[in-house]
Amino acid sequence: MLKYHKKKWIAMILAGGQGSRLLSLTRRLAKPAVPFGGKYRIIDFTLSNCVNSGIDTVGVLTQYQPLLLNEYIGNGQPWDLDRVHGGVFVLPPYQQSTGSDWYTGTANAIYQNLHFIQRYDPDYVLILSGDHIYKMDYSKMLHFHRQKKADCTIAALEVPRHEASRFGILASDEDGRITSFEEKPAQPKSNMASMGIYIFSTPTLIRYLEEDAENEASAKDFGKNVIPAMLASGARLYAYPFEGYWKDVGTIDSLWEANMDLLDPSKPLDLGDPQWKIYARNAVRPPQYIGRDAVVQNSIVTEGAEIYGVVDFSVLFASVVVEPGATVRDSIIMPGTVIRSGAVVDYAIIAEGCEIGEGARVGSRPEDTPDKSQWGVTVIAEGVTVAPGAVVPAKAVVDDDWSIGPPHTLDASTSAKEVGEVVRA
Amino acid sequence: MKNLLGIVFSNSHKHIISELTPNRCMGSLPVGGRYRLIDFVLSTLANSGVEDVGIITQTNYQSLMEHLGNGREWDLSRKSGGLVIFPPFSRTESGMYRGRIDALYSILGYLRSSPATHVIICDCDMIFNTTYEDMLLSHIDSGADITILYKKMPLEADAAKDACVLSLAEDGRVLDVMISPPVAGEHNVYLNIMITSKSLLEYLVSSCYSHNQYSLARDILQAKAGQYHIHAYEYTGYVSRLYSLQSYYDANMALLDPQVRRLLFPREMPIYTRVRDEAPVRYGLGSKVSNSLLADGCVVEGEVENSILFRGVTVGKNAKVKNSIIMQETVIGENSHLEWVMTDKNVTVREGRMLTGFRTYPIYIAKGSVI
């Protein structure tokens, strides 16, 4: 066998999720590749955390719509992961002599790539999710793991009690040793939630993954199967308490909120920290231009954007154009989208390469929507043209070109269902 | 395009804008919010498919080398060839160059070993965008020995100080080259870009060197205009030449015109530059920005009008920046007021300061100053 340089630790990023709750935004790309925060994609946060924590070998496990993610990661250079020994590797499912398998669960995905891990003979393996927004120094977590002589350390943070049943909830003793772990419990025993970040001592990982693979009843999932099995057999599992900003951007609402959090200086997620940069593959565009009569406040905007209209509480990506007289409020506008004169966009996520026609109206403000059950963030999928004067109601999800309007046919009480479109439950 | 070798002089003209170049060469002059002057010439070469580029430096080239790295951003990090930087004294017989011929002589070995048939020689003294395929074809078709790029443009007296003005025959043949002539009005101005065959360049450089001649413009273009067929190729695109502090100011401010940006930054011919991984610009609650260009990494809480903000500039609350060029990492304190000002990199303007220049005399504040 080829001799590889031994590594103290390597990271494996689970990036195969379809992100079906992101609806039309993940029609053609995997969730970790969804644009975020003006110039990033979601996976940039995890990749940058790895590099900033001193990890130089990273496997990215892809499965769903991998093309864009493959292209985006490329040779890893933007994250300084083009290395002579190690670097970043995209690991899709593959055919083996015994047959081919899709990744059937998080644990199975790692299990199928054990040979990749073993090449580097690491002492520790860090397992991460590619769809979380946060900054974290994993080297501190590793220090904790070694101090506790743990078999596995799980990063955990406090979540509000009423949200606890959405997470893997763990309880630990005074020393931090985990005493119970329940995946999405109906009656949570605590509010310490697993962040889906694990450090394993390598021999333990291999042992439990092999055992799990033998177990036909297992769903091959870390949270559901592997961690409970380890607990049951008395392995040393520790909870590493994390304090700081962390968000799972798995839904339209959480994606919208996480983007808006960037506009709030009181939220502890500073993109500008020179000591902990978030790296991304950059668009080659000139600086942004703000026109003579433009009004831009409470927003973040990046290279190549041209703004002549009004932008407030919004996140604008590369090369977005907001024409004179157009208004964008409380919205996320992804690369290359054009908002024509007089159009009004409120509480919307508009994907890449869309055109919002003159005088069109996309989304609405909660205060203008009498029936709050009809209100929500509007989503426009990649490449959609909204015709001049058309109206896209709140909470609608538009996959194809849209020309329904004009406004008088659609007052605020008319739900999108009546115009024959998809509305989220 | 392996048949065309690019040679870029990163230092020439620097004496012309001495305020901005005490510690940097012309090539590393910051322009347009996120660029260095050399980005324009390098991107035009890269967009023309030129794969081998030699950069000749003379003094103060540290910032340039840092900027260029291995040339990856311009796709010039190639397995063989690609970007090569030549500092002075890179060979035993080279030293401080008196002129371009001295410098070319010192890299004769590099020229000889290049697989190219033709060489394009460029300076770093203008903001422009083009490709060279047509110029090379025209050079070959015309049968000329040397083809030089020019533009018909109005020339003010002070601009002529650093210009070569061409007198041309009807068929485009160069009849005479006037160096820094006492003229004004519309003229054919040489844009300091020339194409010639590699073999002729090698011959001319060796022969001039043996006669102790070192000026490319004087000893080749001017002196040999009769002897050789020098053809002028017209550039019709956008250009702004940098030949003084005022012209530097004007060239930057011209980028606020959408028409100029459309000509300079077409999507299919991008201007590449070094990536700095800055966060997007953040506009605060009280920000009021109009007719301005801003690069990533800026934080704006105050007012910005008719200005260019380079990467990482901070404008504090109630501060006002008008008609100004604010270079990288400058901090403008709260309640300060700047008008007709150029701050170099890393300047700190403390709270409540007032700085006002005039349109024809913008104030320049040196790198790292604290006010």
Side-chain angles (χ1 to χ4, degrees):
Chain A
M1 192 177 135
L2 265 170
K3 197 80 188 134
Y4 290 87
H5 281 233
K6 180 181 166 61
K7 300 284 178 188
K8 182 173 78 175
W9 56 335
I10 69 171
M12 301 292 275
I13 301 178
L14 298 159
Q18 181 182 349
S20 53
R21 287 173 302 156
L22 287 178
L23 310 167
S24 303
L25 296 179
T26 49
R27 232 179 1 167
R28 289 201 200 93
L29 43 84
K31 182 158 69 162
V34 169
F36 181 85
K39 62 182 294 194
Y40 311 95
R41 293 186 187 267
I42 293 170
I43 199 171
D44 286 331
F45 287 80
T46 314
L47 282 173
S48 302
N49 285 340
C50 284
V51 171
N52 290 333
S53 301
I55 299 171
D56 64 6
T57 305
V58 179
V60 180
L61 296 102
T62 62
Q63 175 151 294
Y64 172 79
Q65 290 281 10
L67 173 67
L68 199 139
L69 195 55
N70 282 346
E71 176 196 55
Y72 186 68
I73 291 173
N75 69 349
Q77 182 275 324
W79 304 271
D80 209 14
L81 283 171
D82 52 334
R83 296 294 174 88
V84 173
H85 303 293
V88 63
F89 298 86
V90 176
L91 305 169
Y94 58 95
Q95 199 165 19
Q96 309 179 33
S97 51
T98 52
S100 57
D101 278 317
W102 293 104
Y103 296 149
T104 52
T106 52
N108 176 259
I110 303 293
Y111 175 73
Q112 289 202 40
N113 287 289
L114 277 180
H115 68 285
F116 170 81
I117 295 171
Q118 284 162 334
R119 293 201 302 183
Y120 297 99
D121 188 21
D123 298 328
Y124 308 99
V125 180
L126 173 65
I127 293 174
L128 302 164
S129 165
D131 43 21
H132 296 160
I133 303 296
Y134 65 115
K135 286 179 163 190
M136 179 172 174
D137 187 345
Y138 305 130
S139 68
K140 289 185 182 155
M141 181 173 167
L142 179 65
H143 183 72
F144 175 91
H145 177 84
R146 296 166 75 163
Q147 235 176 13
K148 300 293 181 191
K149 299 190 170 51
D151 294 315
C152 171
T153 299
I154 304 175
L157 93 167
E158 277 186 44
V159 294
R161 280 259 171 203
H162 64 275
E163 285 184 24
S165 54
R166 284 174 44 213
F167 296 92
I169 294 297
L170 45 85
S172 52
D173 65 17
E174 275 174 18
D175 188 40
R177 186 156 175 177
I178 298 173
T179 52
S180 80
F181 184 95
E182 288 178 288
E183 188 69 19
K184 299 188 178 125
Q187 303 291 327
K189 288 194 189 114
S190 81
N191 64 340
M192 286 303 280
S194 160
M195 298 161 67
I197 298 168
Y198 311 98
I199 291 179
F200 285 91
S201 296
T202 310
T204 319
L205 177 70
I206 295 171
R207 188 182 132 205
Y208 282 97
L209 284 182
E210 283 175 348
E211 278 177 17
D212 182 65
E214 303 280 308
N215 179 1
E216 286 185 9
S218 165
K220 312 282 188 278
D221 185 88
F222 277 105
K224 289 193 196 108
N225 310 108
V226 177
I227 301 299
M230 290 179 78
L231 261 183
S233 69
R236 294 173 64 86
L237 278 84
Y238 278 80
Y240 172 74
F242 174 77
E243 280 171 26
Y245 185 89
W246 180 84
K247 199 148 205 154
D248 178 346
V249 286
T251 64
I252 291 293
D253 289 342
S254 64
L255 178 67
W256 183 85
E257 280 168 25
N259 273 283
M260 292 302 143
D261 285 345
L262 297 175
L263 309 179
D264 182 349
S266 69
K267 288 279 191 307
L269 183 71
D270 177 14
L271 294 176
D273 179 4
Q275 302 307 315
W276 203 272
K277 278 192 177 182
I278 302 301
Y279 301 100
R281 203 171 274 282
N282 280 251
V284 181
R285 297 300 300 149
Q288 58 196 280
Y289 175 73
I290 310 297
R292 204 168 284 286
D293 301 315
V295 178
V296 187
Q297 289 192 333
N298 311 307
S299 294
I300 61 175
V301 181
T302 193
E303 317 282 26
E306 302 227 347
I307 302 175
Y308 299 91
V310 175
V311 175
D312 202 7
F313 285 105
S314 293
V315 175
L316 270 55
F317 287 72
S319 302
V320 165
V321 177
V322 179
E323 291 192 346
T327 301
V328 176
R329 287 177 300 217
D330 303 283
S331 294
I332 297 152
I333 315 290
M334 292 182 184
T337 286
V338 179
I339 315 290
R340 297 277 177 221
S341 291
V344 178
V345 177
D346 274 312
Y347 289 90
I349 300 178
I350 303 183
E352 295 177 57
C354 292
E355 180 175 340
I356 308 302
E358 269 181 42
R361 222 177 168 319
V362 175
S364 73
R365 308 191 65 74
E367 58 268 31
D368 299 339
T369 315
D371 181 358
K372 293 289 183 275
S373 70
Q374 295 299 324
W375 185 84
V377 173
T378 302
V379 178
I380 310 279
E382 188 187 335
V384 165
T385 300
V386 173
V391 175
V392 184
K395 218 175 178 181
V397 178
V398 178
D399 282 340
D400 302 302
D401 288 356
W402 176 281
S403 55
I404 298 165
H408 60 85
T409 64
L410 236 168
D411 60 56
S413 62
T414 315
S415 82
K417 260 193 190 107
E418 288 165 53
V419 293
E421 255 305 317
V422 195
V423 170
R424 303 201 308 286
Chain B
M1 192 151 69
K2 277 280 178 196
N3 58 341
L4 190 58
L5 168 69
I7 299 289
V8 175
F9 286 94
S10 65
N11 255 77
S12 32
H13 313 281
K14 65 167 284 187
H15 58 283
I16 299 294
I17 314 183
S18 51
E19 296 90 336
L20 294 167
T21 53
N23 292 307
R24 57 167 75 99
C25 56
M26 274 300 267
S28 57
L29 204 60
V31 287
R34 63 190 299 259
Y35 302 101
R36 303 289 187 132
L37 198 48
I38 200 168
D39 292 338
F40 290 89
V41 72
L42 271 189
S43 299
T44 60
L45 290 169
N47 289 333
S48 305
V50 175
E51 290 173 29
D52 298 331
V53 179
I55 314 268
I56 293 173
T57 66
Q58 173 103 296
T59 50
N60 292 326
Y61 48 82
Q62 189 261 336
S63 65
L64 184 76
M65 290 180 67
E66 210 174 292
H67 178 70
L68 296 174
N70 61 0
R72 187 186 53 233
E73 266 98 4
W74 300 267
D75 203 22
L76 288 171
S77 163
R78 303 263 59 89
K79 199 166 174 77
S80 66
L83 186 82
V84 183
I85 299 175
F86 295 103
F89 305 102
S90 52
R91 275 166 39 128
T92 37
E93 56 276 61
S94 71
M96 294 310 288
Y97 316 124
R98 292 169 298 171
R100 290 178 185 74
I101 291 174
D102 276 356
L104 288 169
Y105 186 78
S106 80
I107 62 159
L108 260 186
Y110 172 73
L111 291 175
R112 286 202 181 107
S113 63
S114 160
T117 53
H118 290 82
V119 183
I120 180 162
I121 299 175
C122 314
D123 284 358
C124 285
D125 66 333
M126 55 185 182
I127 295 174
F128 71 117
N129 196 358
T130 186
T131 55
Y132 304 109
E133 285 101 332
D134 290 346
M135 182 179 173
L136 178 62
L137 281 180
S138 151
H139 172 76
I140 293 165
D141 290 348
S142 68
D145 298 307
I146 297 173
T147 297
I148 63 180
L149 193 69
Y150 80 99
K151 187 173 171 72
K152 210 173 267 173
M153 61 164 99
L155 211 52
E156 286 168 32
D158 68 325
K161 278 189 308 197
D162 189 48
C164 289
V165 169
L166 310 174
S167 91
L168 303 177
E170 263 178 32
D171 64 354
R173 190 171 168 142
V174 176
L175 301 173
D176 193 13
V177 177
M178 290 159 281
I179 296 168
S180 308
V183 297
E186 182 156 283
H187 288 281
N188 300 318
V189 178
Y190 171 44
L191 296 179
N192 297 311
I193 292 179
M194 62 177 265
I195 290 179
T196 182
S197 73
K198 191 165 75 92
S199 50
L200 180 63
L201 183 69
E202 285 169 17
Y203 169 76
L204 287 172
V205 165
S206 308
S207 129
C208 287
Y209 190 79
S210 71
H211 291 92
N212 198 26
Q213 295 166 335
Y214 52 83
S215 165
L216 187 73
R218 211 170 279 285
D219 299 317
I220 293 182
L221 296 182
Q222 188 176 51
K224 297 187 165 44
Q227 185 185 347
Y228 287 98
H229 177 181
I230 302 180
H231 180 73
Y233 182 84
E234 188 175 3
Y235 172 67
T236 51
Y238 177 82
V239 64
S240 61
R241 296 175 59 245
L242 304 187
Y243 50 84
S244 64
L245 198 59
Q246 182 70 41
S247 73
Y248 171 83
Y249 177 84
D250 295 341
N252 275 284
M253 285 304 174
L255 302 178
L256 294 177
D257 180 348
Q259 184 56 26
V260 168
R261 287 200 309 281
R262 219 159 291 144
L263 293 168
L264 267 180
F265 304 110
R267 229 162 243 278
E268 65 283 5
M269 284 156 60
I271 303 296
Y272 301 95
T273 188
R274 182 180 173 206
V275 169
R276 287 222 10 201
D277 293 295
E278 298 277 6
V281 177
R282 176 205 283 275
Y283 297 89
L285 183 61
S287 80
K288 188 160 179 274
V289 181
S290 90
N291 192 38
S292 295
L293 278 175
L294 298 91
D296 274 357
C298 293
V299 177
V300 183
E301 309 267 7
E303 221 174 298
V304 179
E305 188 184 344
N306 304 334
S307 294
I308 295 178
L309 270 52
F310 283 67
R311 298 194 261 207
V313 168
T314 303
V315 180
K317 285 199 175 69
N318 291 318
K320 185 162 183 184
V321 176
K322 196 175 170 186
N323 303 322
S324 294
I325 296 171
I326 311 295
M327 286 192 212
Q328 215 165 298
E329 312 288 348
T330 288
V331 177
I332 313 285
E334 293 182 9
N335 302 310
S336 282
H337 190 125
L338 276 66
E339 199 167 339
W340 311 108
V341 172
M342 285 188 264
T343 67
D344 208 312
K345 285 171 69 174
N346 297 309
V347 166
T348 303
V349 179
R350 293 204 195 282
E351 285 180 26
R353 303 294 191 262
M354 307 280 278
L355 298 167
T356 313
F358 189 69
R359 188 180 59 76
T360 53
Y361 200 96
I363 302 179
Y364 168 75
I365 295 163
K367 190 171 167 178
S369 307
V370 177
I371 294 167

